[in-house]
């Protein structure tokens, strides 16, 4: 970084707002605290930390079909009888276990409990995050939904105005900050593609198509003819759960054969849907195959990037929702580097990545690291668009790029004046090896009953990885 042209102007950052008290927001807050900024406020719309891990049993909103635009209003809270605060819908479901082993998933300064499963349950992860939050809970404004973030200039410096509403009292507050971290994730606006005939199908059969955001348990799919669309982590896991109770076989609509097979004996892989057949209550797949009398179709097709509270920012940071526009290293807003986004990347290990990002943000905003000149940052983004495309692939890392990125951020933060105030993770060869084979580890974990709390007993090829 030192050989690049650097920005000459220092940043006058003393007051910082963090939007979201999920895994990313909590991690960033700890690194900002280590740099001793004057004021740090964390806005969290739920009554507890955890973000997507803060499970809200049956709180769901209907998803438009199709859903192709990020320009939708934020979710409305629901106040269940007897609750002390309203709840918001999120994509967590009843019996989720992670697809990442706990040795890799955990933050660098806190281990999972020894009794947690090797691939922790959602309850274990939420408990872990509540414990991790103890050092920053005093900063959190719980049950406060950010409505708008606007930008102004004061003596050449950015000033951010954060308007939030209490979901309990409806009281509106407006506070000014020198910098803002957007850490509210990207699991709010589901993506459902515009397949031919889908709108007419939805109009006639409004209860059949759903999205994984609304999935809670397989019970409602018992004895039904079901299609699950998508071959990612949620499509694999949700499909396996439903396949146990639905008509056999469950049909899993995917674009390419999936390397990891769990429960294949009661699932059948089929091509993408080419057309919806309204009168037949069915679909035609791209290979010409027709399935009639379908009872349920679950889209596990991911989400769009959406930030309704930043709608006044010009130029916009999202257009199609496929990526966030105008960022350096998928982190700093190039025109306004006092605005940072965390955990945008997909197919990564998000907890340690958020730590590394938090370390860099804290060093830059304390003027112990200087960002490159704006022209260098724009050239970086252009090169990445040319390489990866202006599509959803832009934010996908995967192994080994995610491991390289964690270490790159560590080294970048380490170049700061006076070194680390709080050191972020750096992955050694063993961690990188676990990252490269964790799909195989999870397959063995499931095959052996899904009860292991460590890699002991999974086989000789995994046991020597247990020291982490």
């Amino acid at each position: 970084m030192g050989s690049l042209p650097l920005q000459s102007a220092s940043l006058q950052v003393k007051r910082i707002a963090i939007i979201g008290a999920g895994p990313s927001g909590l991690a960033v807050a700890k690194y900002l605290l280590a740099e001793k900024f004057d004021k740090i406020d964390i806005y969290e719309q739920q009554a507890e930390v955890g973000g997507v891990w803060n499970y809200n049993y049956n709180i769901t909103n209907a998803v438009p079909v199709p859903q192709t635009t990020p320009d939708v209003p934020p979710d409305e809270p629901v106040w269940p009888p007897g609750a002390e605060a309203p709840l918001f819908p999120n994509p967590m479901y009843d019996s989720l276990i992670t697809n990442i082993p706990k040795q890799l998933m955990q933050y660098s300064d806190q281990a999972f409990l020894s009794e947690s499963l090797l691939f922790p349950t959602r309850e274990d992860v939420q408990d872990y995050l509540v414990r991790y939050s103890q050092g920053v809970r005093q900063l959190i404004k719980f049950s406060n939904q950010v409505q708008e973030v606007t930008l102004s200039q004061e003596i050449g410096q950015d000033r951010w105005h954060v308007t939030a509403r209490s979901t309990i009292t409806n009281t509106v507050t407006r506070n000014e900050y020198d910098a803002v971290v957007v850490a509210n994730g990207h699991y709010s606006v589901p993506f459902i593609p515009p397949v031919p005939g889908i709108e007419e199908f939805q109009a006639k059969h409004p209860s059949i198509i759903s999205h994984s955001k609304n999935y809670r348990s397989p019970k409602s799919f018992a004895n039904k003819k079901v299609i699950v669309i998508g071959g990612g982590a949620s499509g694999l896991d949700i499909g396996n759960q439903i396949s146990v109770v639905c008509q056999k076989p469950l049909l899993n609509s995917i674009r390419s054969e999936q390397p990891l097979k769990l429960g294949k004996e009661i699932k059948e892989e089929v091509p993408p849907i080419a057309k919806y057949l309204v009168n037949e209550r069915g679909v035609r797949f791209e290979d010409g195959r027709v399935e009639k009398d379908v009872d349920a179709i679950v889209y596990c097709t991911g989400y769009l990037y959406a930030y309704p509270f930043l709608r006044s920012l010009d130029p916009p940071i999202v257009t199609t929702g496929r990526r966030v526009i105008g960022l350096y290293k998928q982190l700093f807003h190039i025109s306004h580097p006092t605005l940072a986004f965390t955990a945008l990347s997909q197919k990564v290990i998000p907890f340690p990545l958020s730590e590394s990002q938090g370390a860099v943000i804290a060093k830059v905003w304390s003027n112990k690291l200087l960002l490159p000149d704006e022209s260098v940052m724009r050239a970086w983004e252009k090169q990445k668009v040319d390489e990866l495309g202006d599509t959803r692939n832009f934010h996908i890392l995967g192994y080994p790029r995610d491991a390289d990125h964690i270490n790159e951020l560590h080294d970048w933060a380490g170049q700061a004046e006076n070194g680390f105030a709080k050191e972020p993770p750096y992955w050694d060869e063993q961690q990188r090896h676990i990252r490269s084979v964790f799909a195989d580890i999870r397959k063995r974990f499931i095959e052996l009953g899904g009860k292991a709390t460590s890699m002991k007993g999974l086989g000789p090829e995994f046991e020597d990885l247990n020291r982490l």
Side-chain angles (χ1 to χ4, degrees), residues 86-228:
L87 304 176
F88 287 82
N90 73 15
M92 189 55 55
Y93 48 90
D94 289 355
S95 54
L96 182 142
I97 63 171
T98 71
N99 63 343
I100 304 171
K102 61 185 179 183
Q103 294 96 328
L104 209 60
M105 184 176 187
Q106 65 196 20
Y107 296 109
S108 62
D109 58 354
Q110 178 177 299
F112 275 89
L113 298 177
S114 60
E115 60 265 30
S116 296
L117 293 179
L118 174 60
F119 291 87
T121 65
R122 63 165 178 81
E123 295 94 338
D124 286 340
V125 178
Q126 176 63 8
D127 172 72
Y128 176 84
L129 291 169
V130 170
R131 288 187 289 111
Y132 182 77
S133 74
Q134 295 309 306
V136 298
R137 291 184 76 88
Q138 73 278 10
L139 309 176
I140 304 174
K141 298 176 179 290
F142 286 110
S143 298
N144 268 270
Q145 185 182 47
V146 172
Q147 306 284 292
E148 188 174 34
V149 177
T150 58
L151 173 66
S152 66
Q153 294 284 318
E154 183 178 312
I155 318 177
Q157 295 288 330
D158 290 341
R159 294 292 180 264
W160 299 95
H161 307 275
V162 176
T163 302
R165 178 177 63 85
S166 167
T167 62
I168 298 175
T169 66
N170 284 323
T171 301
V172 174
T173 59
R174 190 169 187 266
N175 292 297
E176 183 180 277
Y177 300 93
D178 307 311
V180 173
V181 180
V182 179
N184 64 317
H186 47 85
Y187 297 105
S188 296
V189 179
F191 172 68
I192 297 180
V195 180
I198 193 172
E199 293 185 27
E200 296 83 357
F201 186 96
Q202 173 69 5
K204 187 168 183 179
H205 311 290
S207 63
I208 290 180
I209 298 175
S210 64
H211 188 274
S212 58
K213 182 178 180 179
N214 298 130
Y215 176 79
R216 290 297 179 267
S217 81
K219 295 177 182 178
S220 62
F221 298 92
N223 302 314
K224 292 183 177 180
K225 187 173 186 177
V226 181
I227 302 172
V228 170

Side-chain angles (χ1 to χ4, degrees), residues 363 368 414-421:
K363 291 299 184 182
K368 294 172 183 174
Q415 295 175 14
E417 176 187 334
N418 299 327
F420 296 112

Side-chain angles (χ1 to χ4, degrees), residues 276-443:
Y276 276 85
L277 308 175
V278 179
N279 294 331
E280 295 90 339
R281 206 178 79 219
V283 299
R284 178 183 298 117
F285 297 106
E286 289 183 354
D287 63 357
R289 172 177 171 175
V290 171
E291 288 290 339
K292 302 178 181 180
D293 301 318
V294 175
D295 298 306
I297 299 172
V298 184
Y299 274 89
C300 300
T301 44
Y303 296 80
L304 298 170
Y305 293 93
Y307 304 98
F309 48 83
L310 282 169
R311 57 188 171 273
S312 66
L313 199 60
D314 187 26
I317 57 167
V318 291
T319 52
T320 64
R322 299 302 182 93
R323 75 175 184 96
V324 183
I325 301 168
L327 302 188
Y328 177 61
K329 299 289 186 179
Q330 302 199 29
L331 189 56
F332 292 102
H333 193 282
I334 295 172
S335 297
H336 304 285
T338 53
L339 178 65
F341 293 76
T342 59
L344 298 179
S345 301
Q346 300 185 43
K347 297 187 178 180
V348 298
I349 314 300
F351 290 18
L353 174 60
S354 296
E355 287 190 88
S356 301
Q357 292 176 323
V360 170
I361 291 169
K363 291 299 184 182
V364 168
W365 287 354
S366 61
N367 291 315
K368 294 172 183 174
L369 278 179
L370 290 179
L371 291 173
D373 183 78
E374 182 173 331
S375 63
V376 174
M377 294 193 285
R378 294 203 180 280
W380 179 90
E381 185 190 28
K382 181 180 185 303
Q383 185 268 324
K384 287 299 179 182
V385 171
D386 292 342
E387 174 188 345
L388 303 171
D390 194 14
T391 67
R392 298 170 78 181
N393 291 333
F394 184 85
H395 291 301
I396 293 176
L397 290 182
Y399 183 79
R401 289 194 299 163
D402 62 337
D404 294 340
H405 190 47
I406 284 175
N407 289 354
E408 174 196 11
L409 292 171
H410 171 280
D411 292 346
W412 186 9
Q415 295 175 14
E417 176 187 334
N418 299 327
F420 296 112
K422 177 177 173 60
E423 185 170 359
Y426 186 94
W427 278 10
D428 61 20
E429 287 306 311
Q430 186 167 36
Q431 287 165 306
R432 294 175 70 97
H433 180 59
I434 292 175
R435 173 66 180 95
S436 70
V437 300
F438 78 63
D440 297 325
I441 298 172
R442 192 173 191 270
K443 182 177 181 181

Side-chain angles (χ1 to χ4, degrees), residues 100-104 117-119 430 433-435 437-438 441-442 444-445 448 452-468:
I100 304 171
K102 61 185 179 183
Q103 294 96 328
L104 209 60
L117 293 179
L118 174 60
F119 291 87
Q430 186 167 36
H433 180 59
I434 292 175
R435 173 66 180 95
V437 300
F438 78 63
I441 298 172
R442 192 173 191 270
R444 182 68 58 82
F445 170 80
L448 295 178
T453 58
S454 72
M455 295 185 199
K456 292 181 179 179
L458 296 188
E461 66 269 44
F462 303 129
E463 286 187 0
D464 62 349
L465 300 176
N466 196 61
R467 72 167 176 84
L468 281 175

